[in-house]
Amino acid sequence: MNEISLNGRRYAYEDRGSGTPLLLLHGFPFSSESFWPQLESPPNGFRVIAPDHRGFGGSAFGEGPSTMEAMAEDALGLLDALKIPAAVVGGVSMGGYVALALARLD
């Protein structure tokens, strides 16, 4: 498990494979471990990045409520920290709502 500091708090993520970035956003109440099959054997030509949303898995809670927009901003912060300008995004359940919030950020 990798981690970065986002606004002074721990943000954990998995990063496997190489190629086109594929950001996978997990559902409630899970963590990036729900994408273990994809992380264990990334599809050819893809770099699979799966963060733990704030308050889940290895990531710390943030200030204020954990809204879909806040989690989307975290995911965007991760992509920025990894110097990834664009990614294919997939979300399951709550992660789908985070993906939609991410699309509204730009």
Side-chain angles (χ1 to χ4, degrees):
M1 177 77 46
N2 302 298
E3 63 181 57
I4 61 169
S5 178
L6 277 181
N7 300 317
R9 66 183 166 74
R10 182 180 69 255
Y11 191 68
Y13 66 98
E14 294 287 351
D15 186 351
R16 309 282 177 89
S18 62
T20 302
L22 172 60
L23 178 68
L24 297 178
L25 304 169
H26 68 81
F28 180 88
F30 305 107
S31 71
S32 60
E33 288 184 12
S34 63
F35 295 113
W36 192 248
Q38 294 80 13
L39 292 164
E40 184 69 22
S41 183
N44 288 335
F46 285 93
R47 177 181 178 186
V48 179
I49 301 155
D52 289 343
H53 298 303
R54 53 176 62 201
F56 294 89
S59 293
F61 283 102
E63 294 286 323
S66 293
T67 64
M68 299 305 113
E69 289 75 19
M71 288 185 263
E73 288 173 359
D74 292 344
L76 188 58
L78 173 61
L79 293 177
D80 288 345
L82 296 176
K83 300 186 184 334
I84 297 173
V88 175
V89 178
V92 175
S93 188
M94 178 185 74
Y97 290 107
V98 175
L100 290 171
L102 184 59
R104 289 190 300 267
L105 288 178
D106 280 332

